[in-house]
């Protein structure tokens, strides 16, 4: 099998795993992966996950990669806060939530960070289309819930002021009904207190 034959079959996958390779090429010799890395045709993202180097790297591609190399997961936290315009600065890593253990991967195309959520909290995301593919990202309300649930230091009005969240953008994008439904579903007094502080902050800054 030549590299061109391999690419013709596998280029439908923006990220591909050794497992997927062997579905299409039973008996595949993994030494080819080392050879093609050395020639610059492919890059290793993490153990057993690869990409073609001529695939354009943009934000959507990075979000797709985040989902693919550590699954199940969905983009959330700082990355989603930035996408929705809730925080003023750009984010230099892709942040996600997962039911797997908390983890970090340094790759040739970026830094991927994952925070653990118990399975009962793994909801509130949707599939966003990117070309012919899809990636999972938290909705605006779940992005906020995830952040407040996982960041125990946000426990005062002053903490929200220091975060400098865009209150006007939040007010325009967030459904309070959905936010309250999520809080009630989770049933955490601490989370409820933090969300109430967030509402106070938003109301005071819009």
């Amino acid at each position: 099998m030549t590299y061109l034959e391999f690419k013709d079959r596998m280029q439908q996958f923006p990220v591909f795993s050794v497992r997927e390779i062997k579905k299409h090429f039973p008996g595949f010799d993994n030494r080819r992966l080392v050879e093609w890395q050395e020639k610059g045709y492919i890059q290793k993202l993490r153990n057993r996950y690869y990409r073609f180097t001529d695939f354009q790297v943009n934000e959507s591609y990075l979000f797709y990669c985040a989902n693919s190399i550590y699954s199940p997961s969905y983009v959330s936290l700082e990355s989603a806060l930035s996408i929705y315009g809730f925080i003023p600065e750009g984010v230099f890593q892709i942040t996600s939530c997962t039911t797997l253990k908390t983890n970090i991967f340094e790759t040739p195309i970026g830094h991927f960070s994952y925070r653990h959520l118990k399975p009962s909290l793994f909801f509130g995301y949707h599939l966003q289309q990117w070309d012919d593919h899809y990636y999972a990202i938290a909705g605006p309300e779940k992005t906020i819930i995830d952040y407040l649930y996982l960041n125990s230091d946000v426990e005062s009005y002053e903490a929200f002021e220091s975060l400098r969240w865009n209150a006007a953008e939040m007010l325009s994008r967030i459904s309070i009904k959905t936010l309250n439904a999520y809080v009630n579903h989770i049933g955490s007094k601490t989370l409820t207190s933090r969300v109430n502080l967030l509402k106070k902050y938003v109301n005071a800054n819009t």
Side-chain angles (χ1 to χ4, degrees):
M1 179 188 59
T2 68
Y3 170 72
L4 291 178
E5 290 172 332
F6 174 83
K7 186 176 183 183
D8 183 63
R9 182 79 62 87
M10 299 301 295
Q11 65 183 350
Q12 63 181 301
F13 302 105
V15 176
F16 52 91
S17 66
V18 171
R19 182 178 181 181
E20 286 168 334
I21 292 171
K22 294 194 173 183
K23 285 181 182 178
H24 292 271
F25 299 100
F28 179 81
D29 186 347
N30 287 354
R31 288 177 295 181
R32 298 286 78 76
L33 295 174
V34 176
E35 173 189 332
W36 295 337
Q37 285 181 82
E38 291 173 348
K39 292 182 176 180
Y41 298 158
I42 63 174
Q43 283 180 322
K44 185 177 183 178
L45 296 178
R46 60 162 294 208
N47 190 33
R48 301 179 71 82
Y49 286 86
Y50 299 83
R51 66 177 291 270
F52 292 108
T53 54
D54 59 359
F55 217 111
Q56 181 184 4
V57 177
N58 55 31
E59 188 173 69
S60 295
Y61 180 70
L62 291 172
F63 288 173
Y64 180 92
C65 287
N67 284 187
S68 300
I69 66 173
Y70 206 57
S71 179
S73 66
Y74 61 83
V75 176
S76 187
L77 305 169
E78 291 85 357
S79 290
L81 288 171
S82 179
I83 285 294
Y84 295 129
F86 294 166
I87 57 177
E89 64 275 352
V91 177
F92 300 102
Q93 63 177 342
I94 308 302
T95 54
S96 302
C97 290
T98 179
T99 54
L100 304 178
K101 69 177 183 179
T102 293
N103 219 327
I104 294 174
F105 299 104
E106 294 282 0
T107 79
I109 60 172
H111 181 99
F112 297 88
S113 173
Y114 301 83
R115 295 287 299 276
H116 169 76
L117 285 179
K118 56 187 179 181
S120 63
L121 299 181
F122 198 79
F123 66 90
Y125 59 90
H126 62 275
L127 295 179
Q128 182 69 41
Q129 186 168 7
W130 161 63
D131 293 338
D132 295 326
H133 308 282
Y134 295 86
Y135 59 84
I137 183 170
E141 297 84 6
K142 189 55 169 28
T143 296
I144 289 171
I145 292 292
D146 288 343
Y147 189 91
L148 296 183
Y149 185 86
L150 291 170
N151 288 276
S152 59
D153 56 327
V154 184
E155 55 185 2
S156 67
Y157 184 85
E158 291 72 26
F160 280 103
E161 289 185 317
S162 68
L163 289 172
R164 297 182 298 122
W165 283 2
N166 189 327
E169 193 67 24
M170 286 184 163
L171 191 63
S172 69
R173 278 186 173 267
I174 291 173
S175 163
I176 296 300
K177 181 179 179 180
T178 301
L179 190 68
N180 289 340
Y182 287 170
V183 172
N184 292 335
H185 172 74
I186 294 170
S188 163
K189 291 182 179 179
T190 302
L191 178 62
T192 300
S193 175
R194 290 174 188 160
V195 170
N196 287 337
L197 284 171
L198 171 65
K199 293 175 183 176
K200 181 180 177 181
Y201 170 81
V202 169
N203 289 333
N205 289 274
T206 53

